[in-house]
Amino acid sequence: QVQLVESGGGLVQPGGSLRLSCAASGSVPRINAMAWYRQAPEKERELVAAITSGGMTNYADSVKGRFTISRDNAKNTVYLRMNSLKPEDTAVYYCNADMSRYGLMYTYWGQGTQVTVSS
């Protein structure tokens, strides 16, 4: 059983920063891409940032230049550094990981962590 456990969310003022972490635990197979998604109230879940096992990244246009995704493969952990936060960044942030074992692909989700940007 594999679990993704997120941490680091909270309340921050506009212009502030937060760092989210997501660690995979359990019987972790090979981890391929990892990503952060977010879902605001009454909106669809959207991709925020993704990173491959080799470190290639891509970002949603709305967060480019403000957010940075990184990963520590030895710790099976992905991070999201969020700077210059805006009220429209308020959402539940979900960690996602694509894994493989014996040629089979698996996708896992974390439970979500709330990020609220408000004065």
Side-chain angles (χ1 to χ4, degrees), residues 2-35:
V2 175
Q3 284 188 318
L4 297 180
V5 180
E6 298 127 334
S7 60
L11 173 64
V12 63
Q13 292 187 342
S17 298
L18 283 174
R19 190 180 82 153
L20 305 182
S21 300
C22 171
S25 63
S27 181
V28 179
R30 173 186 171 83
I31 302 178
N32 301 314
M34 302 185 81

mmCIF file of all heavy atoms in Angstrom, residues 2-35:
data_model
loop_
_atom_site.group_PDB
_atom_site.id
_atom_site.type_symbol
_atom_site.label_atom_id
_atom_site.label_comp_id
_atom_site.label_asym_id
_atom_site.label_seq_id
_atom_site.Cartn_x
_atom_site.Cartn_y
_atom_site.Cartn_z
ATOM 1 N N VAL A 2 0.577 2.162 -0.893
ATOM 2 C CA VAL A 2 1.342 3.399 -1.010
ATOM 3 C C VAL A 2 0.477 4.558 -0.550
ATOM 4 O O VAL A 2 -0.711 4.629 -0.878
ATOM 5 C CB VAL A 2 1.797 3.634 -2.455
ATOM 6 C CG1 VAL A 2 2.489 4.982 -2.591
ATOM 7 C CG2 VAL A 2 2.730 2.512 -2.908
ATOM 8 N N GLN A 3 1.055 5.450 0.212
ATOM 9 C CA GLN A 3 0.360 6.657 0.639
ATOM 10 C C GLN A 3 1.169 7.882 0.260
ATOM 11 O O GLN A 3 2.400 7.872 0.329
ATOM 12 C CB GLN A 3 0.147 6.649 2.150
ATOM 13 C CG GLN A 3 -0.970 5.734 2.617
ATOM 14 C CD GLN A 3 -1.267 5.914 4.094
ATOM 15 O OE1 GLN A 3 -0.350 6.032 4.904
ATOM 16 N NE2 GLN A 3 -2.539 5.940 4.443
ATOM 17 N N LEU A 4 0.460 8.938 -0.115
ATOM 18 C CA LEU A 4 1.072 10.249 -0.331
ATOM 19 C C LEU A 4 0.560 11.164 0.770
ATOM 20 O O LEU A 4 -0.659 11.336 0.912
ATOM 21 C CB LEU A 4 0.702 10.821 -1.698
ATOM 22 C CG LEU A 4 1.163 10.042 -2.926
ATOM 23 C CD1 LEU A 4 0.700 10.753 -4.197
ATOM 24 C CD2 LEU A 4 2.672 9.870 -2.932
ATOM 25 N N VAL A 5 1.468 11.726 1.532
ATOM 26 C CA VAL A 5 1.087 12.567 2.665
ATOM 27 C C VAL A 5 1.614 13.969 2.433
ATOM 28 O O VAL A 5 2.829 14.178 2.336
ATOM 29 C CB VAL A 5 1.635 12.011 3.986
ATOM 30 C CG1 VAL A 5 1.224 12.911 5.146
ATOM 31 C CG2 VAL A 5 1.111 10.583 4.204
ATOM 32 N N GLU A 6 0.674 14.917 2.344
ATOM 33 C CA GLU A 6 1.037 16.318 2.100
ATOM 34 C C GLU A 6 1.130 17.072 3.410
ATOM 35 O O GLU A 6 0.469 16.735 4.390
ATOM 36 C CB GLU A 6 -0.002 16.994 1.212
ATOM 37 C CG GLU A 6 -0.153 16.387 -0.161
ATOM 38 C CD GLU A 6 -1.576 16.025 -0.479
ATOM 39 O OE1 GLU A 6 -2.339 15.782 0.469
ATOM 40 O OE2 GLU A 6 -1.931 15.978 -1.668
ATOM 41 N N SER A 7 1.910 18.134 3.394
ATOM 42 C CA SER A 7 2.007 19.039 4.538
ATOM 43 C C SER A 7 2.441 20.416 4.043
ATOM 44 O O SER A 7 2.911 20.555 2.914
ATOM 45 C CB SER A 7 3.013 18.514 5.571
ATOM 46 O OG SER A 7 4.294 18.401 4.999
ATOM 47 N N GLY A 8 2.248 21.419 4.904
ATOM 48 C CA GLY A 8 2.748 22.747 4.587
ATOM 49 C C GLY A 8 1.707 23.768 4.201
ATOM 50 O O GLY A 8 2.030 24.933 4.000
ATOM 51 N N GLY A 9 0.447 23.368 4.094
ATOM 52 C CA GLY A 9 -0.581 24.338 3.757
ATOM 53 C C GLY A 9 -0.890 25.247 4.932
ATOM 54 O O GLY A 9 -0.375 25.069 6.035
ATOM 55 N N GLY A 10 -1.737 26.239 4.681
ATOM 56 C CA GLY A 10 -2.120 27.144 5.747
ATOM 57 C C GLY A 10 -2.644 28.452 5.230
ATOM 58 O O GLY A 10 -2.955 28.588 4.042
ATOM 59 N N LEU A 11 -2.721 29.416 6.121
ATOM 60 C CA LEU A 11 -3.205 30.760 5.803
ATOM 61 C C LEU A 11 -2.009 31.696 5.652
ATOM 62 O O LEU A 11 -1.125 31.723 6.525
ATOM 63 C CB LEU A 11 -4.122 31.254 6.918
ATOM 64 C CG LEU A 11 -4.590 32.706 6.840
ATOM 65 C CD1 LEU A 11 -5.456 32.925 5.599
ATOM 66 C CD2 LEU A 11 -5.345 33.081 8.112
ATOM 67 N N VAL A 12 -2.000 32.449 4.565
ATOM 68 C CA VAL A 12 -0.896 33.378 4.316
ATOM 69 C C VAL A 12 -1.455 34.643 3.693
ATOM 70 O O VAL A 12 -2.479 34.609 2.997
ATOM 71 C CB VAL A 12 0.168 32.717 3.405
ATOM 72 C CG1 VAL A 12 -0.410 32.394 2.029
ATOM 73 C CG2 VAL A 12 1.413 33.572 3.283
ATOM 74 N N GLN A 13 -0.804 35.749 3.944
ATOM 75 C CA GLN A 13 -1.241 37.020 3.368
ATOM 76 C C GLN A 13 -0.801 37.125 1.910
ATOM 77 O O GLN A 13 0.186 36.507 1.505
ATOM 78 C CB GLN A 13 -0.656 38.179 4.170
ATOM 79 C CG GLN A 13 -1.212 38.300 5.571
ATOM 80 C CD GLN A 13 -0.730 39.547 6.277
ATOM 81 O OE1 GLN A 13 0.269 40.154 5.878
ATOM 82 N NE2 GLN A 13 -1.430 39.949 7.322
ATOM 83 N N PRO A 14 -1.516 37.915 1.130
ATOM 84 C CA PRO A 14 -1.083 38.140 -0.256
ATOM 85 C C PRO A 14 0.365 38.631 -0.305
ATOM 86 O O PRO A 14 0.778 39.460 0.513
ATOM 87 C CB PRO A 14 -2.048 39.212 -0.749
ATOM 88 C CG PRO A 14 -3.284 38.995 0.065
ATOM 89 C CD PRO A 14 -2.788 38.593 1.425
ATOM 90 N N GLY A 15 1.111 38.074 -1.240
ATOM 91 C CA GLY A 15 2.532 38.391 -1.348
ATOM 92 C C GLY A 15 3.423 37.483 -0.551
ATOM 93 O O GLY A 15 4.653 37.522 -0.691
ATOM 94 N N GLY A 16 2.836 36.662 0.295
ATOM 95 C CA GLY A 16 3.601 35.758 1.142
ATOM 96 C C GLY A 16 4.021 34.494 0.427
ATOM 97 O O GLY A 16 3.781 34.321 -0.773
ATOM 98 N N SER A 17 4.656 33.590 1.185
ATOM 99 C CA SER A 17 5.198 32.354 0.637
ATOM 100 C C SER A 17 4.808 31.166 1.499
ATOM 101 O O SER A 17 4.583 31.297 2.702
ATOM 102 C CB SER A 17 6.722 32.435 0.571
ATOM 103 O OG SER A 17 7.150 33.474 -0.272
ATOM 104 N N LEU A 18 4.744 30.018 0.846
ATOM 105 C CA LEU A 18 4.540 28.746 1.525
ATOM 106 C C LEU A 18 5.330 27.683 0.777
ATOM 107 O O LEU A 18 5.578 27.824 -0.429
ATOM 108 C CB LEU A 18 3.063 28.331 1.540
ATOM 109 C CG LEU A 18 2.103 28.994 2.518
ATOM 110 C CD1 LEU A 18 0.684 28.522 2.233
ATOM 111 C CD2 LEU A 18 2.498 28.722 3.952
ATOM 112 N N ARG A 19 5.677 26.608 1.495
ATOM 113 C CA ARG A 19 6.267 25.459 0.831
ATOM 114 C C ARG A 19 5.471 24.220 1.198
ATOM 115 O O ARG A 19 5.328 23.885 2.379
ATOM 116 C CB ARG A 19 7.733 25.252 1.213
ATOM 117 C CG ARG A 19 8.399 24.199 0.322
ATOM 118 C CD ARG A 19 9.853 23.955 0.663
ATOM 119 N NE ARG A 19 10.015 23.048 1.782
ATOM 120 C CZ ARG A 19 11.082 22.273 1.970
ATOM 121 N NH1 ARG A 19 12.082 22.297 1.097
ATOM 122 N NH2 ARG A 19 11.165 21.496 3.030
ATOM 123 N N LEU A 20 4.968 23.552 0.182
ATOM 124 C CA LEU A 20 4.247 22.304 0.370
ATOM 125 C C LEU A 20 5.209 21.137 0.176
ATOM 126 O O LEU A 20 6.112 21.198 -0.656
ATOM 127 C CB LEU A 20 3.099 22.185 -0.631
ATOM 128 C CG LEU A 20 2.089 23.332 -0.673
ATOM 129 C CD1 LEU A 20 0.993 23.009 -1.693
ATOM 130 C CD2 LEU A 20 1.506 23.607 0.688
ATOM 131 N N SER A 21 4.964 20.089 0.942
ATOM 132 C CA SER A 21 5.741 18.862 0.810
ATOM 133 C C SER A 21 4.788 17.687 0.634
ATOM 134 O O SER A 21 3.668 17.708 1.148
ATOM 135 C CB SER A 21 6.605 18.610 2.051
ATOM 136 O OG SER A 21 7.515 19.658 2.261
ATOM 137 N N CYS A 22 5.240 16.676 -0.082
ATOM 138 C CA CYS A 22 4.449 15.466 -0.264
ATOM 139 C C CYS A 22 5.405 14.286 -0.280
ATOM 140 O O CYS A 22 6.265 14.199 -1.157
ATOM 141 C CB CYS A 22 3.666 15.536 -1.564
ATOM 142 S SG CYS A 22 2.862 13.984 -2.019
ATOM 143 N N ALA A 23 5.234 13.396 0.684
ATOM 144 C CA ALA A 23 6.114 12.243 0.807
ATOM 145 C C ALA A 23 5.347 10.958 0.530
ATOM 146 O O ALA A 23 4.245 10.762 1.055
ATOM 147 C CB ALA A 23 6.716 12.192 2.207
ATOM 148 N N ALA A 24 5.954 10.110 -0.276
ATOM 149 C CA ALA A 24 5.376 8.787 -0.550
ATOM 150 C C ALA A 24 5.916 7.796 0.459
ATOM 151 O O ALA A 24 7.122 7.748 0.715
ATOM 152 C CB ALA A 24 5.728 8.336 -1.962
ATOM 153 N N SER A 25 5.012 7.009 1.023
ATOM 154 C CA SER A 25 5.425 6.016 2.011
ATOM 155 C C SER A 25 4.750 4.689 1.712
ATOM 156 O O SER A 25 3.818 4.611 0.926
ATOM 157 C CB SER A 25 5.074 6.487 3.424
ATOM 158 O OG SER A 25 3.677 6.621 3.556
ATOM 159 N N GLY A 26 5.242 3.645 2.377
ATOM 160 C CA GLY A 26 4.709 2.316 2.142
ATOM 161 C C GLY A 26 5.589 1.552 1.181
ATOM 162 O O GLY A 26 6.786 1.816 1.059
ATOM 163 N N SER A 27 4.984 0.622 0.485
ATOM 164 C CA SER A 27 5.724 -0.182 -0.479
ATOM 165 C C SER A 27 5.824 0.590 -1.796
ATOM 166 O O SER A 27 5.090 0.346 -2.740
ATOM 167 C CB SER A 27 5.015 -1.522 -0.704
ATOM 168 O OG SER A 27 5.736 -2.302 -1.625
ATOM 169 N N VAL A 28 6.761 1.540 -1.837
ATOM 170 C CA VAL A 28 6.846 2.474 -2.956
ATOM 171 C C VAL A 28 7.604 1.841 -4.120
ATOM 172 O O VAL A 28 8.766 1.498 -3.975
ATOM 173 C CB VAL A 28 7.538 3.779 -2.520
ATOM 174 C CG1 VAL A 28 7.632 4.739 -3.706
ATOM 175 C CG2 VAL A 28 6.784 4.424 -1.369
ATOM 176 N N PRO A 29 6.955 1.717 -5.275
ATOM 177 C CA PRO A 29 7.653 1.227 -6.453
ATOM 178 C C PRO A 29 8.418 2.374 -7.113
ATOM 179 O O PRO A 29 8.613 3.414 -6.503
ATOM 180 C CB PRO A 29 6.512 0.738 -7.344
ATOM 181 C CG PRO A 29 5.375 1.647 -7.000
ATOM 182 C CD PRO A 29 5.536 1.982 -5.547
ATOM 183 N N ARG A 30 8.786 2.188 -8.352
ATOM 184 C CA ARG A 30 9.474 3.255 -9.058
ATOM 185 C C ARG A 30 8.525 4.440 -9.239
ATOM 186 O O ARG A 30 7.410 4.273 -9.714
ATOM 187 C CB ARG A 30 9.942 2.775 -10.423
ATOM 188 C CG ARG A 30 10.518 3.880 -11.301
ATOM 189 C CD ARG A 30 10.845 3.379 -12.698
ATOM 190 N NE ARG A 30 11.193 4.454 -13.594
ATOM 191 C CZ ARG A 30 12.392 4.996 -13.687
ATOM 192 N NH1 ARG A 30 13.378 4.534 -12.941
ATOM 193 N NH2 ARG A 30 12.624 5.990 -14.528
ATOM 194 N N ILE A 31 8.975 5.626 -8.869
ATOM 195 C CA ILE A 31 8.168 6.835 -9.045
ATOM 196 C C ILE A 31 8.606 7.528 -10.321
ATOM 197 O O ILE A 31 9.776 7.855 -10.487
ATOM 198 C CB ILE A 31 8.304 7.782 -7.849
ATOM 199 C CG1 ILE A 31 7.887 7.086 -6.553
ATOM 200 C CG2 ILE A 31 7.445 9.030 -8.076
ATOM 201 C CD1 ILE A 31 8.048 7.947 -5.316
ATOM 202 N N ASN A 32 7.670 7.763 -11.183
ATOM 203 C CA ASN A 32 7.961 8.464 -12.434
ATOM 204 C C ASN A 32 7.661 9.948 -12.231
ATOM 205 O O ASN A 32 8.305 10.604 -11.438
ATOM 206 C CB ASN A 32 7.185 7.822 -13.570
ATOM 207 C CG ASN A 32 7.558 6.352 -13.723
ATOM 208 O OD1 ASN A 32 8.724 5.984 -13.723
ATOM 209 N ND2 ASN A 32 6.554 5.494 -13.796
ATOM 210 N N ALA A 33 6.655 10.471 -12.886
ATOM 211 C CA ALA A 33 6.329 11.887 -12.721
ATOM 212 C C ALA A 33 5.614 12.137 -11.401
ATOM 213 O O ALA A 33 4.882 11.286 -10.895
ATOM 214 C CB ALA A 33 5.458 12.364 -13.875
ATOM 215 N N MET A 34 5.856 13.311 -10.856
ATOM 216 C CA MET A 34 5.125 13.788 -9.679
ATOM 217 C C MET A 34 4.579 15.164 -10.002
ATOM 218 O O MET A 34 5.163 15.901 -10.813
ATOM 219 C CB MET A 34 6.027 13.834 -8.448
ATOM 220 C CG MET A 34 6.658 12.488 -8.108
ATOM 221 S SD MET A 34 7.595 12.498 -6.574
ATOM 222 C CE MET A 34 6.273 12.301 -5.368
ATOM 223 N N ALA A 35 3.478 15.501 -9.374
ATOM 224 C CA ALA A 35 2.831 16.763 -9.735
ATOM 225 C C ALA A 35 2.008 17.300 -8.579
ATOM 226 O O ALA A 35 1.691 16.583 -7.627
ATOM 227 C CB ALA A 35 1.940 16.573 -10.962
#
